[in-house]
């Protein structure tokens, strides 16, 4: 048995005798009683930086989504499609969803 946790503050009374390891998702182990775990022979691991790429991807996606009204443009095209007007209006209406360029 292993325990995987993120932010829950783990106490020794929650750890069963059958526990063989504790893994903390993210950096640090301040929510795990490391000294007591070590005395009990249970190794404690953490995963610093494991989700760094995912965070970077989400930040870039957020920048792109917020720099232009992409969701609004998608919804607008859906509405036009439902009315059968997307072909006539796509070029004319794209100016409604312009935004700022992302420099750098």
């Amino acid at each position: 048995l292993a325990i995987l946790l993120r932010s829950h503050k783990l106490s020794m009374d929650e750890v069963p005798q059958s526990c063989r390891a504790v893994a903390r998702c993210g950096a640090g182990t301040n929510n795990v009683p490391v000294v007591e775990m070590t005395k009990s022979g249970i190794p404690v691991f953490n995963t610093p930086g494991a989700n760094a790429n995912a965070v970077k991807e989400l930040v870039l996606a957020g920048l792109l989504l917020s720099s232009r009204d992409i969701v609004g443009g998608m919804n607008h095209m859906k509405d036009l499609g439902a009315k059968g007007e997307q072909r006539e209006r796509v070029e004319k209406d794209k100016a409604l969803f312009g935004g700022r360029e992302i420099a750098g």
Side-chain angles (χ1 to χ4, degrees):
L1 172 76
I3 297 174
L4 304 174
L5 54 100
R6 174 84 179 155
S7 58
H8 174 73
K9 186 155 179 69
L10 187 66
S11 63
M12 284 304 289
D13 60 325
E14 297 175 286
V15 180
Q17 292 288 330
S18 58
C19 184
R20 297 290 176 248
V22 174
R24 161 102 167 49
C25 301
T29 55
N30 60 332
N31 56 333
V32 179
V34 177
V35 174
E36 291 90 345
M37 293 288 183
T38 303
K39 287 178 185 174
S40 299
I42 301 171
V44 177
F45 305 92
N46 65 350
T47 57
N51 63 351
N53 284 338
V55 170
K56 288 183 257 184
E57 291 167 356
L58 285 170
V59 167
L60 288 174
L63 282 170
L64 293 171
L65 285 169
S66 65
S67 70
R68 302 177 186 266
D69 187 12
I70 293 173
V71 175
M74 290 171 45
N75 290 333
H76 181 67
M77 288 306 296
K78 273 188 194 176
D79 293 342
L80 290 178
K83 298 174 190 173
E85 300 175 1
Q86 71 272 25
R87 289 183 187 227
E88 308 85 58
R89 303 239 332 247
V90 67
E91 287 299 318
K92 189 182 338 174
D93 290 0
K94 70 181 180 182
L96 298 171
F97 303 98
R100 290 171 271 171
E101 283 189 25
I102 298 174

